[in-house]
Every structure is written in structure tokens, then in C-alpha cells.
Amino acid sequence: MTPQEASIAAERICRLAPVIPVLVVDQVAHAAPLAQALVAGGLPALEVTLRTDAALEVIAEMAGVEGGAVGAGTLLSSQDVENAKKAGATFGVSPGATDRLLDACEANDLPLLPGAASATEAMRLLERGYTVQKFFPAEAAGGATFLKSLSSPLPRIRFCPTGGVSLKNATDYLSLPNTLCVGGSWVAPGELVKSGDWAGITRLATQAAQLGR
């Protein structure tokens, strides 16, 4: 997969909904009902972060949920990429980007949202062919004001801001011409996941699905 092909696929995923839920899941038993709740609320693109021992099994379970597109987040190494692809991930997300990580995603045909936090990082990715990128950590790196300032000098790049994005500030990003969608964890808060309040998560997802429209 070329960087250009990866960006086309990543843009397609980003346009599925205004919000990509960023999920940290500890229990495999929560995987399918959580994915079903989010998809039912209108958020089909799901990012499962590789931050728990159960993450790869969670991806495998969610991959079987109808209507969902499950990706692996926090990809840091080529081994992470291979493991995520084997588990059933259809896209990847990384906090930053290294040549080795990009090589692995391209070799494994895994579309990647590579992370960038500065104009230089975004330009290096663009030079390689990545026109769709993750802006991370969004709030700490300057927020919507900073991202807006990149739209004129770097008009070819579209972003998915993640990191500190919430219901309160999501529309600040979604109103920008260089934002495709945002990533956030507020649609699946830990207390609702632990209690199995899937209806509550669907309500939050439904609310998020209407943002920017």
C-alpha cells in the first residue's frame, strides 16, 4: 500500500462520522456490546488503543460487529502493526510517525493515521505522501487555533485532531476546513463501560454523531 492509497482509505474512514471513539478496553467481554452500542449511535469507526493486555482480543471481537470499522491505536512498532493486522484491524493510528512504523504499515496494507504535532512533522509526512494525518496531542499542541493556522500554508493536509478533544470543544475543530473528524474518549467513559451501560453509551454516540452537521 502506498502512502497515497493509505490516505485515501484513511479519509474514507474519517468521513464515516464526525467522531472516532478512542477506546481503552480492559475486558474482552465488553468488546462486542461496546462496539454495537457505538455503531448503533452512529459512530462506526472505532479506535482501540493498544494500551491494555486485552487490546488485540478486543479488536478481534469488535471486528465481527456488523457495520463497524475497527482500527488499532497507539501503534508504536512494526510488531504492533503486524499484531493489529492479524487481529482484524482495518486501519491504524499512531501518536507520531517513524520511518520504520510507516514502512510496516505500508508493507502490511494497513491504512495509517500518522500523528503530527508541528508544521515540520506534518510536512515530512506530506513529503512521503500522507495527506491525511492525526493532529496529536491536539489541545496541548495548540488546539484549534494552531490547527487553523496550518490550513493556509498546508492546504493539502486534512487532520483528525485527538488529545484533549471533548464534547465542549469538538465543534471548534470540526468547523475548520482542514479537519475531517475528531477523536475522543468521552463517548465511551470508563464508568459506563464498566457498568455495562450500553444504552448510555449509545446516547452519547448519537449526540456526537450530530456534531458539525
Side-chain angles (χ1 to χ4, degrees), residues 27-54:
Q27 297 185 41
V28 178
H30 291 156
L34 174 57
Q36 289 164 352
L38 291 165
V39 171
L43 302 182
L46 312 172
E47 177 191 339
V48 178
T49 61
L50 299 186
R51 301 179 196 173
T52 70
D53 292 337

Side-chain angles (χ1 to χ4, degrees), residues 60-87:
E61 287 292 315
M62 288 189 173
V65 173
E66 186 176 355
V70 184
T74 325
L75 294 178
L76 303 178
S77 67
S78 55
Q79 189 63 59
D80 286 341
V81 173
E82 292 173 8
N83 290 343
K85 185 68 184 287
K86 288 178 183 177

Side-chain angles (χ1 to χ4, degrees), residues 3 5-6 31 35 41 69 74-75 96 112 126 139 150 164-165 171 185 188 192 198-200 206 212:
E5 291 169 339
T74 325
L75 294 178
L112 179 69
L126 179 63
E139 284 293 284
L150 295 182
V165 180
T171 53
S185 59
L192 294 189
W198 311 124
T206 300

Side-chain angles (χ1 to χ4, degrees), residues 192-205:
L192 294 189
V193 175
K194 289 177 183 177
S195 66
D197 187 356
W198 311 124
I201 289 174
T202 294
R203 285 193 294 271
L204 291 175

Side-chain angles (χ1 to χ4, degrees), residues 95-96 115-118 121 134-143 146 161-165 173:
S118 69
E121 292 173 356
K134 171 182 175 177
F135 175 48
F136 178 84
E139 284 293 284
F146 176 80
T162 305
V165 180
Y173 291 99

